[in-house]
Amino acid sequence: MPASPDPVSAAPSRPSRIQRRNRKRILEAALEVFSQHGYRGTTLDQIADGAGLSKPNILYYFAGKEEIHVTLLNDLMDAWLAPMRAIDPGGEPLDEILRYVHRKIEMSRALPRESRLFANEILQGAPRMGPHLETGLKPLVDDTAALIAGWIAEGRLARVDPLHLIFSIWATTQHYADFDAQVQVLTEGGDDYDGAHAFLDTLYRRLLAP
Amino acid sequence: MPASPDPVSAAPSRPSRIQRRNRKRILEAALEVFSQHGYRGTTLDQIADGAGLSKPNILYYFAGKEEIHVTLLNDLMDAWLAPMRAIDPGGEPLDEILRYVHRKIEMSRALPRESRLFANEILQGAPRMGPHLETGLKPLVDDTAALIAGWIAEGRLARVDPLHLIFSIWATTQHYADFDAQVQVLTEGGDDYDGAHAFLDTLYRRLLAP
DNA sequence: TCGTATCTTTACCAATTGGTAAAAAGCCAG
DNA sequence: CTGGCTTTTTACCAATTGGTAAAGATACGA
């Protein structure tokens, strides 16, 4: 029965050591290339090079280029939303928002490729992530916006539109990863994440202090 | 002398009516496609389709794909920096900054493709725009940052890092164009540029009021 | 209206791309 | 140590890509 020779469509038995190692290598290499060149700008040969495998060998582990991309996006979605999930509804509102901001800056610093991968995907209209936005992102954002609206109604935060607040936090924090090329030119190469922490702390403190 | 058959390398004489019309069509079509798919994701056939011309005809007007892209970037640079150039050093500081913010939001609304074209280019490391950043953007930003620093020293604005302030204005305003796909999902399709104006006005007023 | 310069089309390439078939090699349990 | 699985390599495609050559059509001033 040579119908399913590759692990892609195999039974859900534990993948072998080699499989885990090589899939990891492929995803790591793919993240590097996709985040820099976007989906269409990336070739399987580049991924294969980066992973130290041959192109057909890549296609032994993944059904095709698109599956690699979608796998990356799926695997990353959770980590990406974690900082927002970590907002504690029982905490002190201003603290919770500020801590969210600082976590997001740290993600920009620690995971710039992941940030650019998402940025690329959204920029191009989220063609391979539409469902994820609806089912993963939207409910979480709705909840968070409602939570913030509640805090504002209780007088524990200054009055702002919660959704635009969230947009502004995403924009300002991810900017440092996504537009790094520009930031580098203007800061003359100095890593200025400390400056970002300080500035954004001031920004959201002044905006939100009740 | 069939050595320079095309207008690309022709003498600087006034281009013909047909040339002006077709170059404009090509650039318009190219802006549409480049801004959506990035440089490598765009094909000459797509541009040719959008422009209503054949591929070889495109290459009669431009030496190649890269020249089209660079031409777009160059042509747009001025318009892109105009809002910052329009900041009046003699004006009331808070007013000047707020008007800059509102102009940038309007550019996001009016020219989303241009915004995404730049975003794509920067995301990928600005490979075709490095010099422009150094010679066009950097001096202007340095001047503006110095101007803001002066205003702060005079006590006419609250203390903030001018460069990070500029980053945050870019990030928050361009977000609405660059990440439109995400914004659309979360606002359920409603055009919310009015909300953006109101939110960012509040944000920067509270941040900067002396 | 005629001839020249401008513009457009047709017919191609060579290189690259995502992907496949199938043989060869490696691994490992019995 | 061997037979059957997994993994990798080799040798290919067909489609797409950016780009070219050169013939053909068109505009337009004299």
Side-chain angles (χ1 to χ4, degrees), chain B residues 16 18-19 22 40 54 56-57 60-61:
Chain B
S16 77
I18 296 178
Q19 261 179 64
N22 283 351
R40 296 189 56 183
S54 67
N57 205 0
Y60 171 75
Y61 291 101

Side-chain angles (χ1 to χ4, degrees), chain A residues 1-207:
Chain A
M1 191 210 294
S4 58
D6 63 88
V8 168
S9 46
S13 69
R14 189 93 197 289
S16 76
R17 211 176 51 239
I18 295 178
Q19 263 178 64
R20 285 200 305 279
R21 172 174 52 90
N22 283 349
R23 281 182 64 100
K24 211 164 87 181
R25 281 186 186 172
I26 292 166
L27 291 174
E28 156 65 26
L31 173 61
E32 185 74 28
V33 190
F34 277 131
S35 69
Q36 196 167 29
H37 301 292
Y39 181 75
R40 298 189 57 184
T42 293
T43 73
L44 284 176
D45 283 310
Q46 286 174 291
I47 297 174
D49 261 18
L53 300 170
S54 67
K55 184 167 64 176
N57 205 359
I58 297 275
L59 292 166
Y60 171 74
Y61 290 101
F62 290 91
K65 178 180 169 180
E66 180 150 10
E67 199 186 270
I68 302 176
H69 195 250
V70 168
T71 300
L72 273 178
L73 252 18
N74 288 351
D75 289 1
L76 259 59
M77 202 64 187
D78 259 354
W80 208 243
L81 296 183
M84 183 173 275
R85 284 194 224 280
I87 295 175
D88 176 11
E92 179 61 29
L94 185 54
D95 281 357
E96 289 301 321
I97 304 280
L98 288 177
R99 286 171 51 186
Y100 174 54
V101 169
H102 290 293
R103 281 194 295 267
K104 287 288 288 177
I105 301 172
E106 278 312 302
M107 289 204 66
S108 257
R109 165 146 60 180
L111 307 172
R113 297 175 307 175
E114 285 80 351
S115 187
R116 284 193 280 265
L117 183 79
F118 279 118
N120 256 308
E121 177 69 7
I122 305 291
L123 245 185
Q124 312 191 350
R128 276 163 283 276
M129 230 179 50
H132 261 288
L133 294 185
E134 286 286 357
T135 67
L137 182 69
K138 180 130 197 324
L140 177 62
V141 169
D142 285 348
D143 285 357
T144 306
L147 174 66
I148 294 171
W151 282 338
I152 291 171
E154 295 166 13
R156 302 171 75 192
L157 285 180
R159 301 192 73 82
V160 289
D161 182 308
L163 189 55
H164 286 282
L165 171 64
I166 292 170
F167 287 161
S168 80
I169 294 173
W170 289 346
T172 50
T173 56
Q174 294 177 5
H175 184 86
Y176 293 95
D178 299 345
F179 297 94
D180 178 63
Q182 202 178 50
V183 170
Q184 287 305 311
V185 168
L186 297 174
T187 60
E188 267 139 6
D191 175 315
D192 206 7
Y193 276 94
D194 289 348
H197 276 289
F199 172 80
L200 292 176
D201 194 275
T202 301
L203 176 77
Y204 287 106
R205 209 175 277 281
R206 290 187 188 159
L207 172 67

Side-chain angles (χ1 to χ4, degrees), chain B residues 112-190:
Chain B
R113 299 176 305 176
E114 286 79 351
S115 188
R116 285 193 280 267
L117 183 80
F118 279 118
N120 256 307
E121 177 70 7
I122 304 291
L123 246 184
Q124 313 192 349
R128 276 163 282 277
M129 230 179 49
H132 260 289
L133 295 185
E134 286 287 356
T135 67
L137 182 69
K138 180 127 196 324
L140 177 61
V141 169
D142 284 349
D143 285 358
T144 306
L147 173 65
I148 294 171
W151 282 338
I152 292 171
E154 295 166 14
R156 303 172 74 191
L157 285 180
R159 301 191 73 81
V160 290
D161 182 308
L163 190 54
H164 286 281
L165 171 64
I166 291 169
F167 288 161
S168 81
I169 294 173
W170 288 347
T172 51
T173 55
Q174 293 176 7
H175 185 87
Y176 293 95
D178 298 346
F179 297 94
D180 178 65
Q182 203 178 49
V183 171
Q184 287 303 310
V185 168
L186 297 173
T187 59
E188 269 138 4

Side-chain angles (χ1 to χ4, degrees), chain B residues 31-148:
Chain B
L31 172 61
E32 185 74 29
V33 189
F34 277 130
S35 70
Q36 197 167 29
H37 300 292
Y39 181 75
R40 296 189 56 183
T42 292
T43 72
L44 284 176
D45 283 311
Q46 287 174 290
I47 297 174
D49 262 18
L53 300 170
S54 67
K55 184 167 63 176
N57 205 0
I58 298 275
L59 292 165
Y60 171 75
Y61 291 101
F62 290 91
K65 179 180 169 178
E66 181 150 9
E67 199 187 271
I68 302 176
H69 195 250
V70 168
T71 300
L72 273 178
L73 252 19
N74 288 352
D75 289 1
L76 276 139
M77 203 64 188
D78 258 356
W80 209 246
L81 296 183
M84 183 173 275
R85 284 195 224 279
I87 295 175
D88 176 10
E92 181 61 28
L94 185 55
D95 280 356
E96 289 302 321
I97 304 280
L98 288 177
R99 284 171 52 186
Y100 174 54
V101 169
H102 289 294
R103 280 194 296 267
K104 286 289 287 177
I105 301 173
E106 278 313 301
M107 288 203 65
S108 258
R109 165 145 61 182
L111 307 172
R113 299 176 305 176
E114 286 79 351
S115 188
R116 285 193 280 267
L117 183 80
F118 279 118
N120 256 307
E121 177 70 7
I122 304 291
L123 246 184
Q124 313 192 349
R128 276 163 282 277
M129 230 179 49
H132 260 289
L133 295 185
E134 286 287 356
T135 67
L137 182 69
K138 180 127 196 324
L140 177 61
V141 169
D142 284 349
D143 285 358
T144 306
L147 173 65
I148 294 171

